[in-house]
Amino acid sequence: MREVYLDNSATTPVLPEVAAVMHKIHTDTYGNPSSLHRMGVEAEKIKRRARRTLADACSVKESEIYFTSGGTEANNLAVMGVARRLRRRGLHLVTTQVEHPSVLYACRLLEQEGFALTYLPVDREGIVSPAAVADAMRADTLLVSVMHVNNEVGAIQPLAEIGALIKKNNSETLFHVDAVQSFGKLPVQPLLWQADLVTFSAHKLHGPKGVGALYKRQAVHMEPFFHGGGQEDGLRPGTENMAGIGGFAEAARLATAKLSAHALALSKLKKNFSAGILAAIPDICWNSSEEGAPHILNISVAGTRGEVLVHALAEEGVYISTGAACHSRRPELSHVLLAMGRKEKDVEAALRFSFSPLNTEEALVYALEKLQAAVLSIRRVTRR
Amino acid sequence: MKKIYLDHGATTQANPDVLEAMLPYFSEFYGNPSSIHSFGRETKKALEEAREKVAAGIGAEPREIIFTSGGTESDNIAIRGAARALQKKGNHLITSSVEHHAVLDACLALKEEGYELTVLPVDEYGMVSVKDVEAAITNKTILISIMMANNEVGTVMPVAEIGKMARERGITFHTDAVQAIGLLPLNVNDLYCDLLSLSAHKFYGPKGVGILYVRKGTKLDVFNFGGAQERKMRPGTENVPGIIGMGKAVEVAVADREKRSARISSLRDKLIQGLLKIEDTRLNGHPEQRLPGNVNVSVKYVEGESMILSLDLKGIAASSGSACTSGSLDPSHVLIAMGLDHQLAHGSLRMTLGTDNTEEEIDYVLAVMPEIVARLRSMSSVYASSKKE
């Protein structure tokens, strides 16, 4: 059976080049970077090169990149680490209603610890207003956390504007950006955004699972989660996931080298696929805009249930999702689409297609055919 | 040049079978285990099979296994999670002065938050005494954390006795077994532990993935927040290839353990005997209750780091203590706790043997060591003045 993988926002396959780098680390340069002997020194060099690659990809200093076990850990660390460290300075944080659960749940826990949280609404496109961020800020606002690209609908937040307003209001308020979905697809620019903390994850850009990173501006102090051997400047101790780190850097290098070409190709895929849906399937509610990220398309197919379509398409070898993978095993409705003002039945009917440069136009034509057929047969049954 | 790896306590090379098991999960079966489509269900199934292998390997049930990013995370989640979850019951923690920093520093951080902490001393062999543990227990004690085997000097602790005592008193018992699996018999029931940490890269699995065993019914506060992975105990997209590799690594580690341990022990004994023939050397750690692969000697009048660099030039990878602190100039906290003076602590050399080491390699090490020590001592003013006395 033909297989078309359109769930690249959930995770991506590891590129052969990346796998090759990882294999070499597993078999040849497997030393512990903390060891003094040659094996250790070699490993340390690999780690430094990887750190430099990531730093270069977003024009920051090498010493400001910290490796973690993934996006969730980096988001948790950023939000909770800053709040706990700075709680004497203030107790207020600002975020949005459409963040990834690793930010939202961290915020909820902070509420239990006595912090005050403001969860900003978004408009029908999923965009948060910079003015609303500024309005929400208090004299004791420690941190504002806003994602770059939303993982379910692809909405791009106006980070440069938000960052400028935050710093204008209070230069001490820190700004965290979850760039998990955008890194490798759009320029990630901590300096332009005036961001103090930025989260990355490798497995969303054809790197391995189990590794991520946090950009932390030098002057920012935060509480680590873990204590131990002092690795990553004490911010994230534990023997480094060396193959993961090497693979992450290679994936980041490949993605950033072709960033604009990939973005263009992805935009074209999304545009043509959208046009195809528009022509072939009536009664679609569009949850992603043309201005959104080039690799995410979220639609609600009236008269269907998202989960049913996901399974129907999987039977045909087309893999998509109803929204975020991390809660797609739970029956809850998407908090993102609800925040965007979608009706409950549209939320239940949501489908997310997420593309990668590995997808071809021709594969999308196949996916569209299967989608059209599945929608047709479901609607035939439900409307009878 | 020869390449002799004697630093298995720091990290090990992934076993070829482990790598082979991982390979398909990078680019072929790469789905997100949380995805509901068949692509995700495939990886989810493989993940659960790995969990079963791990559980079977240590005598646990699959649902008692939580996958983490490594030993440090496992230790931290165990200690902080248990302390937080049990704070209504009491606030006293017991650990030992020779634990890995992941345990010791997590405990010290809790002390700063207001918990009471007893850090037990060890004897000259680095051994924790069961009697000391018993004497330290108060009616406020909620957690005891004692490692199964020390990473620097290899001393094997009486954890089963401590565990039994803790269980009789209803106290949660955690053991860091990172160095022990594949070398010592390891069954969570025999150890009477409620929490046990493992790290894949210490037993021929990949780096960046570890295990926390959580005995059912054990109270543990959650650390990280996000998706519902690992029953919400440890959210984040799973390191699927790493976990699959670790499942295989546990399988390999447990099979043939006795034979492997016996072989490594005999190499270890040969290495120890040979090294102790060099004058003014001493063995650190227990002469019998000792990890099969661990050799730790102090060579008087010589800096451990100088020996490591000299050995490195001969193609031999060794360490002075634990890898994570080998960049630091402070002497090992383990050796100091054992009562070694700073000079002996600074002159420590750790060689940790693994499955791939051979008798010829040990012969080679024993052949080059005397000249290295002699050369370094010839440059040492302390040595010169001591010989004049």
Side-chain angles (χ1 to χ4, degrees):
Chain A
M1 187 178 63
R2 169 143 203 203
E3 294 201 315
V4 181
Y5 185 76
L6 302 178
D7 199 10
N8 291 284
S9 284
T11 192
T12 56
V14 170
L15 288 174
E17 297 93 319
V18 172
V21 167
M22 295 178 72
H23 193 71
K24 193 164 159 33
I25 294 173
H26 276 310
T27 50
D28 281 357
T29 45
Y30 55 86
N32 184 327
S34 297
S35 293
L36 284 177
H37 49 70
R38 204 166 315 177
M39 296 286 295
V41 174
E42 271 174 29
E44 178 63 27
K45 267 192 210 152
I46 292 173
K47 198 175 64 157
R48 273 189 63 183
R49 269 205 303 273
R51 216 188 285 281
R52 155 138 301 159
T53 305
L54 280 182
D56 286 350
C58 49
S59 309
V60 298
K61 281 183 233 156
E62 199 180 303
S63 59
E64 296 175 316
I65 298 288
Y66 297 84
F67 290 109
T68 70
S69 71
T72 289
E73 187 185 344
N75 272 342
N76 275 204
L77 192 59
V79 174
M80 301 202 274
V82 162
R84 285 174 178 163
R85 174 68 182 242
L86 301 178
R87 76 176 297 153
R88 268 186 221 146
R89 214 168 77 191
L91 285 173
H92 184 237
L93 293 93
V94 177
T95 188
T96 80
Q97 294 174 0
V98 297
E99 297 301 306
H100 187 267
S102 54
V103 167
L104 283 180
Y105 292 165
C107 288
R108 276 185 214 157
L109 180 87
L110 289 174
E111 283 185 278
Q112 288 172 24
E113 291 182 11
F115 289 88
L117 263 293
T118 303
Y119 300 94
L120 293 172
V122 292
D123 65 13
R124 284 194 62 82
E125 313 264 85
I127 310 280
V128 64
S129 131
V133 176
D135 287 347
M137 282 177 69
R138 311 191 322 203
D140 69 337
T141 303
L142 294 176
L143 178 83
V144 176
S145 178
V146 180
M147 71 203 318
H148 187 198
V149 165
N150 181 270
N151 53 315
E152 295 192 31
V153 298
I156 303 173
Q157 303 299 350
L159 296 178
E161 273 177 77
I162 293 172
L165 280 175
I166 293 170
K167 298 294 169 179
K168 197 179 130 199
N169 261 3
N170 184 351
S171 60
E172 293 212 340
T173 300
L174 299 176
F175 184 27
H176 167 246
V177 174
D178 172 356
V180 164
Q181 287 293 338
S182 58
F183 189 48
K185 286 118 192 166
L186 296 172
V188 167
Q189 300 162 296
L191 302 182
L192 178 78
W193 302 335
Q194 303 189 49
D196 303 282
L197 299 148
V198 180
T199 295
F200 304 92
S201 170
H203 77 103
K204 310 283 189 191
L205 62 142
H206 300 284
K209 294 175 181 63
V211 56
L214 182 67
Y215 157 73
K216 180 182 81 62
R217 203 164 55 79
Q218 212 143 26
V220 175
H221 296 287
M222 54 197 291
E223 200 97 323
F225 272 157
F226 308 141
H227 301 273
Q231 291 92 343
E232 300 297 295
D233 242 349
L235 189 65
R236 212 306 181 171
T239 300
E240 297 85 344
N241 177 354
M242 285 306 301
I245 288 170
F248 185 11
E250 182 64 5
R253 190 185 68 77
L254 293 167
T256 40
K258 291 183 183 168
L259 193 69
S260 35
H262 280 169
L264 207 68
L266 289 168
S267 293
K268 211 173 141 221
L269 287 178
K270 180 178 155 186
K271 204 172 151 202
N272 291 344
F273 193 61
S274 305
I277 291 175
L278 190 67
I281 308 170
D283 289 334
I284 296 285
C285 167
W286 300 87
N287 302 321
S288 301
S289 78
E290 270 178 52
E291 291 78 46
H295 62 296
I296 298 178
L297 178 69
N298 192 310
I299 59 170
S300 295
V301 183
T304 69
R305 287 178 53 83
E307 214 185 303
V308 176
L309 272 174
V310 167
H311 289 307
L313 286 177
E315 301 254 307
E316 302 288 343
V318 178
Y319 304 107
I320 62 166
S321 77
T322 54
C326 24
H327 48 189
S328 59
R329 280 180 181 275
R330 282 178 285 166
E332 293 155 30
L333 294 175
S334 155
H335 67 289
V336 175
L337 294 174
L338 289 176
M340 286 164 63
R342 296 298 187 271
K343 292 192 205 93
E344 229 173 76
K345 75 177 175 11
D346 282 337
V347 177
E348 280 176 348
L351 295 180
R352 180 185 67 179
F353 300 87
S354 45
F355 312 115
S356 126
L358 297 182
N359 295 131
T360 62
E361 287 285 354
E362 191 258 328
L364 289 194
V365 170
Y366 176 81
L368 180 62
E369 254 172 50
K370 298 298 172 195
L371 175 67
Q372 189 186 9
V375 171
L376 215 73
S377 68
I378 289 171
R379 280 182 174 168
R380 201 177 294 140
V381 176
T382 51
R383 286 185 179 175
R384 203 182 299 170
Chain B
M1 194 180 72
K2 272 193 203 310
K3 194 168 151 182
I4 299 174
Y5 190 74
L6 294 177
D7 202 9
H8 292 83
T11 192
T12 58
Q13 180 179 20
N15 176 305
D17 293 342
V18 166
L19 283 179
E20 204 184 301
M22 291 168 69
L23 275 180
Y25 293 90
F26 286 114
S27 314
E28 201 180 332
F29 305 111
Y30 54 84
N32 186 322
S34 295
S35 294
I36 54 173
H37 48 64
S38 47
F39 218 72
R41 287 203 307 271
E42 258 167 13
T43 42
K44 178 82 184 165
K45 192 170 157 247
L47 209 64
E48 294 314 316
E49 281 166 12
R51 200 187 304 279
E52 282 162 25
K53 280 184 193 168
V54 170
I58 63 171
E61 287 174 29
R63 64 187 168 133
E64 296 176 315
I65 303 296
I66 293 175
F67 295 126
T68 69
S69 70
T72 291
E73 185 181 354
S74 295
D75 282 343
N76 275 269
I77 297 183
I79 286 170
R80 182 166 290 250
R84 283 267 169 89
L86 297 167
Q87 54 186 333
K88 279 193 188 132
K89 208 178 142 200
N91 70 340
H92 179 233
L93 319 168
I94 299 173
T95 188
S96 86
S97 50
V98 297
E99 297 297 309
H100 188 273
H101 278 292
V103 167
L104 209 47
D105 293 1
C107 287
L108 290 170
L110 286 169
K111 190 182 175 193
E112 274 182 35
E113 290 178 20
Y115 286 85
E116 272 183 49
L117 175 68
T118 302
V119 181
L120 294 173
V122 291
D123 69 9
E124 57 182 314
Y125 301 120
M127 187 74 83
V128 172
S129 118
V130 182
K131 281 206 176 108
D132 284 353
V133 178
E134 190 170 18
I137 292 174
T138 72
N139 56 2
K140 292 278 175 203
T141 306
I142 47 175
L143 176 71
I144 300 172
S145 177
I146 303 290
M147 67 201 324
M148 199 168 162
N150 184 269
N151 52 318
E152 294 191 30
V153 297
T155 302
V156 178
M157 308 292 184
V159 278
E161 280 174 76
I162 296 169
K164 201 164 176 215
M165 196 166 69
R167 183 152 306 169
E168 281 163 6
R169 290 164 169 76
I171 300 166
T172 300
F173 177 54
H174 166 252
T175 187
D176 174 342
V178 162
Q179 295 287 340
I181 188 169
L183 295 169
L184 301 176
L186 199 169
N187 181 303
V188 291
N189 302 308
D190 300 343
L191 294 176
Y192 294 92
C193 61
D194 303 295
L195 299 157
L196 179 139
S197 310
L198 292 171
S199 172
H201 77 99
K202 307 283 191 188
F203 57 94
Y204 309 92
K207 293 178 184 61
V209 56
I211 294 160
L212 180 63
Y213 158 76
V214 184
R215 184 167 167 262
K216 59 175 180 283
T218 304
K219 291 201 174 68
L220 204 63
D221 255 23
V222 179
F223 227 96
N224 280 350
F225 301 86
Q229 294 94 344
E230 298 297 300
R231 294 180 290 123
K232 292 199 186 172
M233 290 301 303
R234 208 293 185 173
T237 300
E238 299 88 340
N239 178 354
V240 177
I243 290 169
I244 308 281
M246 182 161 66
K248 184 73 193 171
V250 168
E251 207 174 60
V252 175
V254 173
D256 264 349
R257 183 195 60 78
E258 281 177 54
K259 228 171 103 188
R260 182 182 335 116
S261 290
R263 198 183 74 82
I264 294 176
S265 295
S266 79
L267 290 181
R268 170 200 70 188
D269 292 342
K270 178 172 181 173
L271 184 54
I272 290 175
Q273 280 154 21
L275 289 173
L276 292 182
K277 280 183 192 148
I278 300 172
E279 63 165 338
D280 289 326
T281 54
R282 57 158 279 170
L283 178 69
N284 297 319
H286 201 280
E288 283 125 33
Q289 301 303 315
R290 186 174 197 102
L291 270 181
N294 180 287
V295 175
N296 190 317
V297 291
S298 277
V299 180
K300 231 174 159 185
Y301 316 116
V302 174
E303 286 284 332
E305 293 188 7
S306 312
M307 281 188 283
I308 290 157
L309 299 176
S310 304
L311 285 165
D312 199 23
L313 290 174
K314 300 275 182 192
I316 301 162
S319 80
S320 57
S322 73
C324 0
T325 46
S326 57
S328 110
L329 291 175
D330 298 334
S332 145
H333 70 288
V334 174
L335 297 177
I336 296 299
M338 287 161 58
L340 266 72
D341 62 30
H342 277 238
Q343 203 204 347
L344 276 174
H346 274 296
S348 77
L349 173 70
R350 179 183 76 164
M351 292 180 171
T352 36
L353 283 66
T355 49
D356 48 337
N357 292 126
T358 62
E359 188 142 11
E360 290 74 54
E361 290 179 338
I362 303 305
D363 290 335
Y364 175 74
V365 173
L366 290 175
V368 299
M369 264 304 278
E371 31 176 310
I372 287 173
V373 172
R375 190 176 50 81
L376 291 173
R377 280 180 175 165
S378 73
M379 297 186 292
S380 156
S381 54
V382 194
Y383 181 69
S385 54
S386 81
K387 290 292 132 179
K388 268 181 219 152
E389 279 162 15

